[in-house]
Amino acid sequence: MNNIAILCSGGDVSGMNPALKRFVEYAKEKELEPYFVYDGYEGLIDNKIEKATYSDVSGIITRGGTKIGSARSKRFMEVEYRKIAKENLDRLGINMLLVLGGDGSFRGVDIFYKEHGVKFCGIPSTIDNDINGTDYCLGVDSALNIIKTSIDAIRDTASSFSRVFVIETMGRDCGYLALTTHLTSGAELCLIPEMEYELQEYEEEFKKQIANGRRYFIAIVSEGIKQTSQEIANWFEKSIGIEARICVLGHIQRGGNPTVKDRLMAYKFVVNAIDALLEGREESVICYDRFGFNFKSIKEVTGKKKELDKELLSYL
Ligand code: ADP
């Protein structure tokens, strides 16, 4: 019998639990023995590897986060700990690995494959949607919906009090979350790292809007821009003359129950990834674009910074 394991590495996302559920079901359908590795590469080193059962995944499809935990692991960067990880897998006869994570996690598992031949398929999982080679990463839609709900709620209070709300989204140096929610939430201002800006260029227009009766502004700013949210808020108060508040959404964006889209994408990512391993694809990352699923090498995925969708950017 072929044994297969799954682990979550790096930041967790909403959609990992549906992926775990499908993993157990589909592995069994394919007559594979499914195993969970708890706490990412740390668990691989510490032998936290257990057979996964149907009851392990019962009821988890509705929950954000990941039932098997996720972690970063400094030790996995070192050759001697990867050797221990391999010995742990060997004892259980596991020679295939699904890794839910980002490009760092894929780099790690690729090195592991090159040293020890454990076949893998990486499933892009990050709310930032910043992995090169794929248009979609697991967790993005759930994060977008959390941000949307937050902005809708903030709008209620902003409009009542005649205030500016500067809402800061995650995304590191990728403005995807900010830009997408800007376009779908009717915000007045969106600042992202991919776009150069000078606040003074907005001054005349915003003052005119206030003179014409505008009571409030929603500004969505991505965490990676050149200024802090506080500086943006200060500019609104000093230059536009309207009271401003900051709302840093932070880790709330990673939580919440997975949306239908993330449940379905989790399902498809896992099925296609397991099929690819069984068909002999030994070292790849499963990617998704408008033509459907495809498989890319680690080099293609990690070698280049992902560019923001040009069409979305053109609307800014
Ligand atoms: P992400 O997968 O979200 O990009 P990180 O960059 O933090 O997250 O990487 C997650 C984990 O992947 C690291 O903590 C480490 O265990 C492993 N990893 C990353 N790069 C390497 C590498 N060059 N060699 C071995 N392991 C690595």
Side-chain angles (χ1 to χ4, degrees), residues 164-167 178-179 181-183 186-192 195 197-199 201-202 206 209 214 217-222 225 232-233 235-236 240 316:
V164 176
F165 269 91
V166 178
I167 302 170
L179 178 52
T181 44
H182 161 66
L183 298 175
E188 283 66 46
L189 178 66
C190 174
L191 301 174
I192 56 172
M195 188 200 72
Y197 70 89
E198 291 303 331
L199 286 177
E201 288 169 12
Y202 297 96
F206 284 2
Q209 288 184 15
R214 171 175 288 290
F217 290 88
I218 302 283
I220 303 179
V221 304
S222 186
I225 60 168
I232 308 293
W235 174 79
F236 269 105
I240 309 296
L316 199 58

Side-chain angles (χ1 to χ4, degrees), residues 126-131 134-137 139-141 143-144 147 169-184 190-194 220 222-223 253 261 305-310 312-313:
T126 164
I127 66 165
D128 299 339
N129 213 19
D130 62 351
I131 297 180
T134 186
D135 287 352
Y136 193 75
C137 299
V140 169
D141 191 61
L144 287 173
I147 300 170
T169 62
M170 279 183 165
R172 295 186 287 192
D173 56 355
C174 175
Y176 181 84
L177 291 178
L179 178 52
T180 306
T181 44
H182 161 66
L183 298 175
T184 52
C190 174
L191 301 174
I192 56 172
E194 290 86 348
I220 303 179
S222 186
E223 65 181 351
Q253 294 162 92
K261 176 164 177 171
K305 187 180 173 320
K306 182 174 172 63
E307 280 182 27
L308 199 51
D309 184 312
K310 286 196 174 57
L312 283 185
L313 207 47

Side-chain angles (χ1 to χ4, degrees), residues 10 14 17 43 62 74 98 100 111 115 118 126 146 175-176 183 190 200 216 251 262 277 314:
S14 196
N17 278 329
T62 60
K74 281 204 177 115
L98 289 193
L100 301 176
I111 291 169
E115 287 170 353
V118 177
T126 164
I146 291 274
Y176 181 84
L183 298 175
C190 174
Q200 69 209 38
Y216 69 94
H251 285 82
D262 272 324
L277 283 168
S314 74

Side-chain angles (χ1 to χ4, degrees), residues 9-11 41 72-73 76-77 82 101-105 107-108 111:
S9 172
Y41 296 134
R72 299 203 161 83
S73 171
F76 199 69
M77 306 266 199
R82 292 196 295 269
D103 48 7
S105 305
R107 237 173 270 136
I111 291 169

